[in-house]
Amino acid sequence: MTAPIRTAPPINDYRPDIDGLRAFAVLSVVFYHAFPKGVSGGYVGVDVFFVISGFLISRILFAEIAEHRFSFATFYGRRIRRIFPALAVCLAAVLAYGFVSLMPSELARLGKHVFFGAGFLSNMVLWSESGYFDSAASSKPLLHLWSLGIEEQFYIVWPALLWIAFRIKAKMGRVLVVLFLASFATNVGLSITSISDDFYLPVSRFWELLAGAWLGWRREIVLTPNVRSWISLVALVTSVTLFTPEMRFPGWLAVMPVVGAVAIILAGPETLVNRMVLSNRVVVFVGLISYPLYLWHWPLISYAYVIRLGKVPTPLMATTLVAISFLFAWATYRYVEYPARFGAHRHRAAKIVATCVVLGACGLAVWTKSGFPERFPALPGIEIRKIVEAKLDAPFKPTKGMEVLDLGAIVVTHLGDGEHKVALGGDSLLFQYGPRVQQLADDGRLAANTYFVAGGKCPPVPRAIQQDKFAPCANLPGILVDLVRRENVQSVVLGAAWSGYFSEQGMLIEREGRRLPLNTSDGIDAFYANLEDYVRLLQAQGAKVYLVLGAPVHHRFDPGQMVARSMTGFRVAPNVEEAIPITELQAPLAPFNAKLRTVGEHTGATLLDPFPDICGTADGCLPFFGAAEPKYSDFTHLRPVFVREHLRFLDFLLK
């Protein structure tokens, strides 16, 4: 004989400590977004939310199904009144402000997110775009709706599964264990193969809601000693303070916040932590407004990132935004959420759904209409969309045809074949020429075995010492020499942001047993002396060496500087189309190019100048090419689309 479904405690037994746990969860997320360095693991608050939701909703389901009171219409009516009204207000406000502050391509993406957010599919569309911790994520005002998507997807299938299990008299304990283990195994497996899949896909997250469901299934809450309650709270605080975005989360790491949340709920309302801390009136109030607080805080912070062109909000700004979030959350709870759930018109679920459908349709229209670029007056020769797209171009990235050996801070790539072998070594300003090599290969004109040995901030100079994440760059010269010896490379090209290293604080150069700061005259002399020695070492291996002179850099090349943003919108810089005088571009490079010429004179190395390919032969250098396309992705890196067709100064070595 099968065991009946156990009934939960009376569902009207209000537990203020659970609202207190909600407060902990939402404050963790809010402070993580507002102060990412100070609360580096606050994202685990979402996992705590999942446990709470699974517990509260499932114990109602267990009771109603066991007592033959369950109705799908009633259940989903409650979910609609709980979730939709506040969400609709937030979506409408975020989309409306997007019309004021966002460029067309940005608004089109927001419309897409509104459309999927209204349908509780945000996690799927965000999964298809990029990771939660990516820098681009900060410019997505509805990024946080991924968790609502997972939760509602769970509640699409969970009530039906419970109802079927009851009808066939299944042993609920076994059902919960099987579903939990299947979801958790998926979570662990995906954490190894694809952390983005693990983070966003619903199946790998359901185990967290099922952990809460197990609590709701128990006949009664068994009180644990106070010391265990404290340990559970410590586990949650540890997760929030010690976890970082770089960790492979969720995976096994998610066990800590989930177990902590389960243990605190299991401890019951009378233990010291639950009674004295989580049941505090102020904490409970934050828990009551936690849902609208979660909805509002991230759009406000994200728009701050957008207005500041990707910069992290200042502490004062972040504090102000958090305060505004609380104000909006209280107002939404008081005038929207509470009346919709408990007011005289609480049964009008159909109208609430219709509102969200209309909002989703508005988002779809904005998306399909490309953000309504006609909102702005025509700018002769300038397209806002192209400026935005230029800023998103990746400047340091292997091309599709390259064989890549990733050594951490340094990559070694290979493309092409042929008797002649060419190796290019340096930092991102050297690696940015890779798309031209790829273009020649695509056209069938690449006649050389071509290698890149490059790192994001790695000068091709021995004994240059960096004391940050770029410290492994010190290995680049040795890796390049080994490649030249092993492959019998005939031509070596060295390039870098030569003028950019001498303003670096803390960067050193070692020569003749002395370590000198690079931002001193002695340091500069030692840097180029080491470069000269390195050129001779490469020549001793039988390679002809080429040195690439400095490429033009200027703040007006930066697409981010072409557009000035504010809370009320944006404007295009008045001189955006004007050419920058060549003399202005060459002046800051002159002393460093002179040093390179001296190295060339002493060693016989050949100098290569990219200036004509980038700027032409006129007196000024235009920031645009072709049909109003920016040449640069920032103030110093050329766009791959420009490099492919226009940077030909290396062709004589490659064709």
Side-chain angles (χ1 to χ4, degrees), residues 162 166 311 495 537 539 613 624 626:
L162 288 185
F166 175 79
K311 295 180 181 178
L537 175 61
Q539 291 171 332
D613 286 352
F624 297 92

Side-chain angles (χ1 to χ4, degrees), residues 609-625:
D609 189 1
F611 240 90
D613 286 352
I614 299 171
C615 295
T617 57
D619 293 334
C621 188
L622 291 169
F624 297 92
F625 75 101

Side-chain angles (χ1 to χ4, degrees), residues 73-87 291 336-343 345-350 352-353:
T74 300
F75 173 79
Y76 288 115
R78 287 197 302 262
R79 293 303 297 167
I80 288 169
R81 291 192 297 274
R82 174 73 173 95
I83 300 298
F84 279 48
L87 176 63
Y291 175 54
V336 178
E337 181 182 338
Y338 191 88
R341 294 175 66 188
F342 308 112
H345 304 293
R346 62 185 180 276
H347 299 298
R348 297 182 178 179
I352 298 173
V353 172

